[in-house]
Amino acid sequence: MATRPKTSEAQIIEQYRIALNNAENQPQIASTMAEFGYDSEEIAKGKQIWQNANNAYNLNKTEDDETNLAHSNFINKKAEVEGFYSLHRKKAKVIFRNDSVTLEKLGIKGSIPQAHVKWIEVVKKFYAITTSDTEIQTKLARLKITPEELNNANTLVGDLETARLEYMREKGESQDATQAKDAALAEIDDWMSEFYAVAKIALEDNIQLLEALGKTIRN
């Protein structure tokens, strides 16, 4: 199948729908095409192939929408966790600036990793320790970091991981749906390509009927 812009997929599917309906329901087109092998049974085959393509296209759209929603949810939750973590990290670095052991223990030495997997590991480590070590909590309280804040942030980290898993699942489903859609469109493209080639021969003396099938003839 020739590559086409995504924006035209809906248009080509609609063009095929109109062409097949007119080939079935417009008496002159139906009778002429039947003489060239495209009788009601053959048109029904084309309509089934079209229906498969239309279903695959709609499913792909749905999966894309769900992926975008899951991605947005993931990004929003990550931004929320980043906000908490950035502030808590800065305060903890001040409080433990002369305590390299605790800095190492909390994983706040050096810069914050940019890659998500390494970043989330660092964040999880920080909150796993701060929510379970009462001595560290007591010291953090000096800069108004409460145990409730730490527990809330730790819960948000769990929510973030769940959101990322959901996004990755939806992304995979969307990719599968895209492959299925592309295959279905390739099949209907191939069927319609031969259909139009025959229609040009069968209806060459009646341009208006050919245009009813979605083909514009230039003089």
Side-chain angles (χ1 to χ4, degrees):
M1 180 181 70
T3 301
R4 68 165 74 90
K6 271 198 167 186
T7 52
S8 72
E9 289 177 347
Q11 294 173 339
I12 199 70
I13 287 173
E14 177 63 6
Q15 177 187 319
Y16 290 166
R17 183 189 71 81
I18 292 172
L20 289 168
N21 282 339
N22 285 342
E24 181 179 47
N25 298 315
Q26 211 281 1
Q28 192 172 352
I29 296 176
S31 61
T32 303
M33 290 298 290
E35 294 176 6
F36 285 80
Y38 284 88
D39 56 15
S40 58
E41 183 177 349
E42 187 63 22
I43 294 298
K45 290 179 183 178
K47 293 185 76 172
Q48 184 58 59
I49 295 172
W50 176 89
Q51 188 63 60
N52 293 339
N54 188 56
N55 291 344
Y57 173 79
N58 288 331
L59 176 61
N60 186 211
K61 277 190 64 180
T62 298
E63 291 295 346
D64 283 349
D65 289 342
E66 290 177 353
T67 299
N68 290 335
L69 183 62
H71 182 257
S72 178
N73 184 48
F74 164 62
I75 291 300
N76 290 337
K77 287 190 180 297
K78 184 172 183 179
E80 190 174 9
V81 172
E82 283 176 331
F84 274 105
Y85 177 65
S86 177
L87 180 59
H88 291 162
R89 188 180 195 281
K90 288 176 183 176
K91 290 182 177 182
K93 290 192 77 170
V94 171
I95 292 170
F96 299 109
R97 65 188 183 282
N98 295 320
D99 184 351
S100 61
V101 173
T102 302
L103 289 174
E104 187 71 38
K105 184 178 180 180
L106 293 174
I108 56 177
K109 272 189 171 182
S111 59
I112 301 175
Q114 296 301 306
H116 177 81
V117 173
K118 291 187 176 181
W119 173 82
I120 196 66
E121 286 178 357
V122 168
V123 174
K124 285 170 65 178
K125 179 180 182 180
F126 180 86
Y127 287 114
I129 292 170
T130 57
T131 55
S132 61
D133 191 316
T134 55
E135 183 179 349
I136 289 178
Q137 288 178 11
T138 299
K139 293 179 179 179
L140 290 174
R142 185 165 62 88
L143 290 184
K144 298 183 178 180
I145 300 178
T146 66
E148 290 76 19
E149 270 190 32
L150 295 171
N151 287 326
N152 181 49
N154 196 44
T155 298
L156 288 174
V157 171
D159 292 343
L160 172 60
E161 290 196 292
T162 299
R164 185 170 188 269
L165 287 174
E166 178 69 10
Y167 165 56
M168 296 305 293
R169 182 181 67 81
E170 291 292 352
K171 184 178 180 181
E173 291 179 359
S174 180
Q175 289 171 342
D176 288 344
T178 296
Q179 291 180 353
K181 176 213 62 178
D182 288 345
L185 284 178
E187 185 177 8
I188 189 60
D189 277 344
D190 183 63
W191 196 93
M192 292 299 297
S193 177
E194 183 173 318
F195 170 84
Y196 279 131
V198 172
K200 284 182 180 180
I201 296 171
L203 304 172
E204 63 180 348
D205 294 330
N206 197 327
I207 293 177
Q208 287 75 20
L209 293 181
L210 191 57
E211 289 183 339
L213 300 178
K215 284 296 179 181
T216 300
I217 305 300
R218 294 180 175 85
N219 294 327

